[in-house]
Amino acid sequence: MLTRLPRLGVSLPRLLCNPPARFVSQSKPSGSAGAASVTELQPPEEKSGHGEVSPYVKNPDYHGFSRDPVVDEWNMRVGFFFGISVALVIGGTFIHYLPDHGMREWARREAERVVLQREQEGAPLLSEYYFDPEKIVLPSSGEQ
């Protein structure tokens, strides 16, 4: 449906400004309803040259910011510049510099530091024990 809209061209504002004549029911009025009927239809008044003209007729490139074409185009360009360009640049910078909430970068740096430390000490990178068993103090079997 929207693809057919440009075909109407300049006639669309005229169709919207001049409503068609009123519709009158041709059925017989019932006495209980008490409906009033219009007996004479008046022809639509001829509009003089002082009627309101659609901004689309005056300026086909109307963007909806102002009735003046120069101000309208200027406001459209400023609005799109700040709305799109600045929002993308500042928004992208903000997202890039957000802190590392998942601690992924810190975990990688810490792992690399531990690997270098163990290589310098000559210790294996991974051991079968999570904790050093010599440092763990276990209760004796009689204390339980």
Side-chain angles (χ1 to χ4, degrees):
M1 168 133 178
L2 290 178
T3 57
R4 296 181 188 155
L5 194 58
R7 294 182 199 165
L8 295 174
V10 181
S11 65
L12 180 63
R14 277 189 299 220
L15 291 174
L16 297 176
C17 290
N18 295 332
R22 295 186 299 185
F23 295 106
V24 178
S25 174
Q26 298 296 321
S27 63
K28 300 287 181 190
S30 64
S32 63
S37 62
V38 177
T39 56
E40 295 181 21
L41 283 178
Q42 300 294 330
E45 292 183 26
E46 294 296 323
K47 293 201 174 199
S48 62
H50 301 292
E52 185 176 335
V53 179
S54 172
Y56 292 107
V57 174
K58 290 181 182 177
N59 179 15
D61 296 329
Y62 180 66
H63 301 291
F65 293 101
S66 174
R67 292 192 182 275
D68 182 20
V70 175
V71 174
D72 183 51
E73 188 168 349
W74 175 251
N75 286 340
M76 183 266 305
R77 288 180 178 170
V78 168
F80 274 92
F81 174 76
F82 284 109
I84 294 175
S85 302
V86 173
L88 288 176
V89 170
I90 293 175
T93 305
F94 177 76
I95 289 172
H96 176 73
Y97 286 106
L98 281 175
D100 184 25
H101 291 294
M103 302 291 286
R104 291 183 192 96
E105 294 174 12
W106 175 85
R108 177 151 184 114
R109 286 193 312 266
E110 185 68 16
E112 290 173 356
R113 188 187 66 79
V114 169
V115 166
L116 286 175
Q117 179 185 2
R118 290 192 179 175
E119 284 177 350
Q120 289 172 354
E121 293 174 355
L125 298 179
L126 296 174
S127 69
E128 57 189 49
Y129 300 112
Y130 188 74
F131 294 105
D132 187 10
E134 296 173 0
K135 294 181 180 179
I136 298 176
V137 178
L138 296 174
S140 63
S141 60
E143 292 179 12
Q144 292 180 6

